[in-house]
Amino acid sequence: MRTALRSNAIIPLLLINFVSALGFMITLPLMPYYAATFNADAVMVGLLSTVYAICAFVAGPILGRLSDRQGRRPWLLFSQLGTVIGFILTAIGGSLGMLFLGRIIDGISGGNQVIAQAYVGDVTEPQQRTRVYGLMGASFGLGAVIGPVLGGLLSQINYAAPFWVAAGISLISLILTAILLPEPDRTNRPAVSPNSSLSSMISLALQPRIRRPLAIFGIMALVMGMFVASIGLFMQLQLEATPLVAALCVAYYGVLTVVVPIFIVGRLSRRYGEQRLLPVGLLTLVIAMAILYIANTTAVTLAAVTFLVFGMALLRPALTSLISQAAGASAQGSALGLGQSLESITQIVAPVLSGWLIANIAPAAPWPVAALVALIGLVIVILFPQPAAPTHEAALSLASEPMTNELSA
């Protein structure tokens, strides 16, 4: 029987999310400057981000599947260890190749959020998950607030200092996980096939109950990816904002991502349930993109950011919970890994698409495209309701289905 998530379990889980955001937000603004010390041009800087996204895309489902088979805790520790090593190699630097090696190792082992989310699914009842996933989103937002500030301050020492601090924080998270986080009870879980295959992953993604929330998750991630890739250039070119104003806008976004999930989303999810939150969240994203399209001042842009954060805070924990529930205990790590892979794809596609739209049309051109993407998601939610839950016998049949075409982990 699942019980409420205990405090000694949620602390390392929240810290994992915090460290992930902290590391990402420390590296995001500083990597171009750091890489430039090794004679990297803009193309190489872009490839540093792309290679991480590609590695995470490949590794996410595999690590999720392995955690389904062999337990959450060992693979969570492995993933965190990879993050520590990746930061250390980046901090050591010495050459552009070392920076790429650090990003590759971090990407390959970067399943910590997926496995942490699957852990929540193991130890909570379905009705609790959206609230807990909301708390995890808030911890991620806190890292997104502190990361840029910490990175900027530490960069005054040297460009390697922020990466050493990120490695130290990641090591603390690893130690807390090893000490405080027990392996979830697997006694009553359906058996998982010993194979981890391409065909089984595709079959899982095409299951009707998983296919729909996964599709909406990908749509949400693409909208968010276009916002992240475009907002800086939009404020620079369209609003002619100073770097300080742009930084404050990002900080405002980070603060909202902490506040909204804690004080608003948990209550809404308990009252209305995940399915009812989806159309509201997608409609809110459409409104946010429409406001951005007409924005001509920083104040209007901040209003759009408020709508964006509210929509994302409704969608991400609700979709994560729905994917976890639809996959069942035997495959939720795999299904959440597929979600990470979709998000990694959007991190590759969104910058290219947004950059082309800005360069060839206008600084505000990404916003109507992102609104259209969110609108497509809204149509899917309204016209294609979630299929009914499978029977217990059907779920066991799916869990024990033979798997072929094995993928090497």
Side-chain angles (χ1 to χ4, degrees):
M1 175 72 68
R2 295 185 180 93
T3 60
L5 193 59
R6 294 174 297 174
S7 60
N8 67 334
I10 199 172
I11 289 173
L13 291 177
L14 294 180
L15 187 57
I16 288 166
N17 259 29
F18 171 76
V19 167
S20 297
L22 185 67
F24 176 74
M25 295 307 293
I26 284 177
T27 62
L28 185 64
L30 294 179
M31 186 61 79
Y33 299 95
Y34 190 34
T37 63
F38 305 110
N39 300 317
D41 58 15
V43 174
M44 286 294 106
V45 172
L47 285 175
L48 282 168
S49 298
T50 301
V51 73
Y52 174 87
I54 291 173
C55 291
F57 163 69
V58 173
I62 296 174
L63 289 175
R65 184 67 178 171
L66 288 171
S67 77
D68 285 335
R69 287 165 42 194
Q70 300 173 1
R72 310 295 183 204
R73 190 171 180 272
W75 288 103
L76 190 55
L77 292 171
F78 165 81
S79 180
Q80 292 178 279
L81 180 61
T83 298
V84 174
I85 294 173
F87 278 135
I88 289 175
L89 291 176
T90 304
I92 291 173
S95 69
L96 191 59
M98 187 70 82
L99 299 190
F100 271 101
L101 180 60
R103 299 309 291 154
I104 289 170
I105 290 176
D106 196 9
I108 290 175
S109 62
N112 46 16
Q113 290 188 66
V114 169
I115 301 171
Q117 290 167 352
Y119 188 107
V120 171
D122 288 337
V123 298
T124 59
E125 297 293 347
Q127 62 269 23
Q128 296 175 310
R129 292 178 195 170
T130 299
R131 179 182 65 84
V132 178
Y133 287 139
L135 290 175
M136 294 180 73
S139 68
F140 193 92
L142 184 62
V145 175
I146 297 175
V149 177
L150 181 61
L153 292 174
L154 291 171
S155 67
Q156 302 302 306
I157 302 173
N158 56 60
Y159 290 139
F163 298 94
W164 283 116
V165 171
I169 295 172
S170 300
L171 181 60
I172 293 172
S173 176
L174 173 65
I175 293 171
L176 285 177
T177 300
I179 296 173
L180 298 178
L181 199 68
E183 178 64 29
D185 182 13
R186 301 165 60 88
T187 305
N188 298 319
R189 298 175 70 193
V192 181
S193 169
N195 293 326
S196 177
S197 66
L198 178 60
S199 63
S200 68
M201 300 304 290
I202 294 174
S203 175
L204 179 64
L206 294 178
Q207 291 296 319
R209 280 182 52 79
I210 297 177
R211 180 177 60 204
R212 179 179 180 269
L214 269 179
I216 304 303
F217 188 92
I219 286 170
M220 174 203 70
L222 181 56
V223 172
M224 189 61 200
M226 293 184 69
F227 170 79
V228 171
S230 307
I231 188 62
L233 285 172
F234 173 75
M235 295 195 71
Q236 178 187 23
L237 301 175
Q238 183 86 357
L239 305 183
E240 299 181 350
T242 65
L244 177 59
V245 172
L248 290 175
C249 182
V250 174
Y252 174 74
Y253 163 82
V255 170
L256 286 182
T257 59
V258 176
V259 173
V260 173
I262 292 177
F263 294 103
I264 299 177
V265 173
R267 298 177 183 178
L268 292 177
S269 67
R270 288 192 299 271
R271 182 169 182 177
Y272 298 106
E274 292 93 347
Q275 293 292 349
R276 293 182 179 179
L277 297 184
L278 297 187
V280 177
L282 289 163
L283 180 59
T284 306
L285 292 188
V286 174
I287 293 172
M289 295 301 110
I291 295 174
L292 278 172
Y293 183 66
I294 64 173
N296 54 10
T297 66
T298 301
V300 177
T301 301
L302 292 178
V305 171
T306 304
F307 276 92
L308 176 77
V309 172
F310 184 75
M312 291 292 298
L314 290 177
L315 287 170
R316 182 177 288 275
L319 287 167
T320 304
S321 179
L322 287 171
I323 293 169
S324 172
Q325 294 175 49
S330 65
Q332 60 185 342
S334 302
L336 292 169
L338 288 170
Q340 176 176 297
S341 291
L342 281 176
E343 193 158 19
S344 298
I345 292 174
T346 65
Q347 291 171 359
I348 298 169
V349 172
V352 176
L353 175 59
S354 299
W356 186 91
L357 289 169
I358 291 172
N360 292 277
I361 301 178
W367 310 137
V369 175
L372 178 61
V373 172
L375 191 60
I376 292 172
L378 182 60
V379 171
I380 292 174
V381 167
I382 294 173
L383 297 184
F384 301 96
Q386 181 76 350
T391 64
H392 178 67
E393 291 77 12
L396 290 178
S397 176
L398 173 62
S400 60
E401 181 180 323
M403 299 180 181
T404 57
N405 301 325
E406 212 174 302
L407 266 181
S408 173

